[in-house]
């Protein structure tokens, strides 16, 4: 729809250029979001280090508390590099025979004998073709633009740790920044003061007035605090969702497909029969969580 509107207001030559740029951005692997991700982290940590750490150092905050966000940043960068550079489980001719034996077909979400039209090979259970990476991915979860890579069987553990450290980073920056602002308020005794409103009446300091005063005094710090608090809530919610998927041995792709069309599948031979989806891959909480970090092999399945 966007391209249809674009065709009405943009010349043909510019349309071709714009369409090509959008195709490269949204249909192929691109470093644009990686650069944006790094730029956001640099902006937050630059403000945190330059102002918050400097003020907190003057107020004699514990050094370990101030360095905690930087330690989490180092761990997050490591997880980011591992997740983005690792092979998520691209299915090739050399590993296809082994990977097709790892998971059984459930007959609902994954049918035996289905051939990927692009790769021209039978799709193993729990796999999906990714147009970004131009290949089928073993135990496909989703394609993450922030790490510029698919999330599959062999880097799902790295992605989980990456997201966990990213959430902890945001929470740590928010916690230290909030502690600094609270410390400033307590030292100033502002909560016990008063101010004159527009009518000249004396009023006790309220939360709204306090926030406005802090924003005028430390605008960048307060804006950063609001951003990292929102980021912590969003990432925390996503972390909980990923943890739920890990504990139940599901992928994002399977969770979405199982809830589409009433969680059922109607074979052509039996149009009246509804097969309700049942997760056959769950092995218990501990084993499900272990599978995220140590993906099973065809040999392990034969032993069972």
């Amino acid at each position: 729809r966007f391209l249809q509107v674009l065709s009405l207001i943009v010349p043909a030559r510019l349309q071709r250029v714009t369409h090509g740029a959008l195709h490269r951005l949204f249909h192929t692997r691109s470093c644009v979001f990686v650069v944006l991700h790094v730029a956001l982290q640099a902006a937050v940590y630059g403000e945190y280090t330059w102002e918050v750490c400097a003020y907190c150092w003057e107020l004699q905050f514990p050094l370990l508390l101030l360095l905690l966000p930087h330690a989490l940043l180092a761990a997050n960068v490591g997880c980011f590099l591992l997740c983005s550079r690792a092979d998520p489980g691209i299915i090739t001719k050399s590993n296809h025979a082994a990977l097709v034996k790892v998971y059984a077909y459930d007959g609902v979400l994954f049918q035996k004998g289905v051939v990927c039209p692009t790769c021209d090979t039978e799709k193993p259970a729990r796999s999906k073709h990714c147009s970004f990476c131009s290949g089928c991915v073993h135990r496909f979860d989703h394609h993450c633009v922030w790490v510029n890579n698919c999330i599959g069987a062999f880097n799902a553990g790295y992605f989980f740790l990456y997201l966990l450290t990213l959430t902890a980073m945001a929470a740590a920056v928010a916690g230290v920044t909030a502690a600094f602002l609270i410390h400033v308020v307590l030292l100033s005794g502002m909560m016990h003061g008063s101010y004159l409103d527009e009518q000249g009446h004396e009023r006790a300091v309220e939360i709204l007035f306090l926030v406005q005063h802090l924003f005028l005094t430390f605008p960048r710090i307060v804006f950063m605090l609001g951003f990292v608090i929102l980021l912590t809530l969003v990432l925390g919610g996503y972390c909980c969702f990923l943890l739920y998927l890990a504990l139940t041995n599901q992928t994002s792709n399977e969770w979405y497909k199982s809830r589409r069309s009433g969680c059922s599948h109607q074979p052509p031979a039996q149009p009246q029969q509804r097969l309700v989806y049942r997760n056959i891959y769950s092995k218990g909480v501990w084993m499900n969580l272990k599978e995220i970090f140590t993906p099973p092999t065809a040999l392990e399945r034969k032993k069972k």
Side-chain angles (χ1 to χ4, degrees):
R1 181 173 296 178
F2 172 74
L3 294 178
Q4 291 176 351
V5 174
L6 191 68
S7 64
L8 299 176
I9 59 177
V10 178
R13 180 177 297 178
L14 187 56
Q15 285 181 34
R16 290 194 293 271
V17 175
T18 305
H19 185 273
L22 290 174
H23 185 275
R24 287 191 297 273
L25 181 61
F26 292 105
H27 295 279
T28 59
R29 293 187 64 178
S30 171
C31 293
V32 173
F33 292 98
V34 175
V35 173
L36 178 61
H37 169 66
V38 173
L40 286 174
Q41 277 193 337
V44 169
Y45 270 83
E47 181 63 28
Y48 169 78
T49 304
W50 182 254
E51 293 205 46
V52 177
C53 279
Y55 285 129
C56 290
W57 181 256
E58 293 179 4
L59 295 173
Q60 297 182 343
F61 273 52
L63 180 60
L64 291 178
L65 179 64
L66 300 181
L67 293 180
L68 176 62
H70 294 88
L72 290 171
L73 174 63
N76 181 255
V77 170
C79 294
F80 170 81
L81 293 174
L82 290 171
C83 187
S84 62
R85 303 302 298 174
D87 174 20
I90 300 295
I91 299 172
T92 63
K93 291 182 179 179
S94 60
N95 64 17
H96 177 269
L99 294 180
V100 79
K101 299 176 182 178
V102 175
Y103 293 111
Y105 293 92
D106 61 7
V108 180
L109 298 185
F110 305 105
Q111 305 280 348
K112 185 176 178 60
V114 176
V115 176
C116 175
T118 305
C119 301
D120 196 27
T121 55
E122 182 183 359
K123 297 173 68 174
R126 310 191 79 180
S127 68
K128 185 179 184 298
H129 184 84
C130 176
S131 58
F132 296 92
C133 297
S134 301
C136 288
V137 179
H138 179 52
R139 198 184 182 275
F140 176 85
D141 191 278
H142 71 288
H143 184 91
C144 180
V145 296
W146 298 110
V147 300
N148 198 24
N149 198 6
C150 267
I151 307 303
F154 301 141
N155 66 347
Y158 297 144
F159 180 73
F160 185 79
L161 294 176
Y162 161 74
L163 191 64
L164 191 65
T165 53
L166 191 62
T167 307
M169 279 168 47
V173 172
V176 175
T177 305
F180 159 68
L181 294 176
I182 292 172
H183 199 75
V184 168
V185 171
L186 294 177
L187 284 178
S188 65
M190 195 181 306
M191 291 299 296
H192 304 290
S194 60
Y195 69 98
L196 296 178
D197 61 13
E198 296 178 353
Q199 287 75 33
H201 299 140
E202 186 176 359
R203 295 181 178 275
V205 172
E206 303 167 345
I207 296 297
L208 181 59
F209 176 84
L210 185 62
V211 172
Q212 291 175 343
H213 175 77
L214 289 174
F215 186 78
L216 292 174
T217 309
F218 308 103
R220 292 193 302 272
I221 293 178
V222 174
F223 178 80
M224 182 193 71
L225 177 60
F227 173 75
V228 292
I229 288 176
L230 178 62
L231 192 63
T232 302
L233 295 176
V234 173
L235 291 174
Y238 189 36
C239 268
C240 292
F241 175 65
L242 278 189
L243 182 60
Y244 161 74
L245 293 180
L247 295 178
T248 56
N249 206 327
Q250 298 182 78
T251 64
S252 300
N253 177 55
E254 293 164 3
W255 180 85
Y256 172 74
K257 290 174 66 176
S258 67
R259 278 150 184 78
R260 190 175 58 187
S261 303
C263 306
S264 64
H265 173 75
Q266 297 181 2
Q270 299 174 326
Q272 301 301 324
Q273 183 179 0
R274 295 177 64 87
L275 300 178
V276 179
Y277 170 72
R278 183 176 63 87
N279 182 12
I280 67 170
Y281 305 113
S282 180
K283 308 167 188 175
V285 172
W286 171 246
M287 293 302 296
N288 291 342
L289 190 61
K290 181 182 176 183
E291 186 172 313
I292 296 296
F293 300 97
T294 55
T297 63
L299 182 62
E300 290 176 352
R301 184 183 166 191
K302 286 182 181 179
K303 290 180 179 179
K304 297 176 183 179

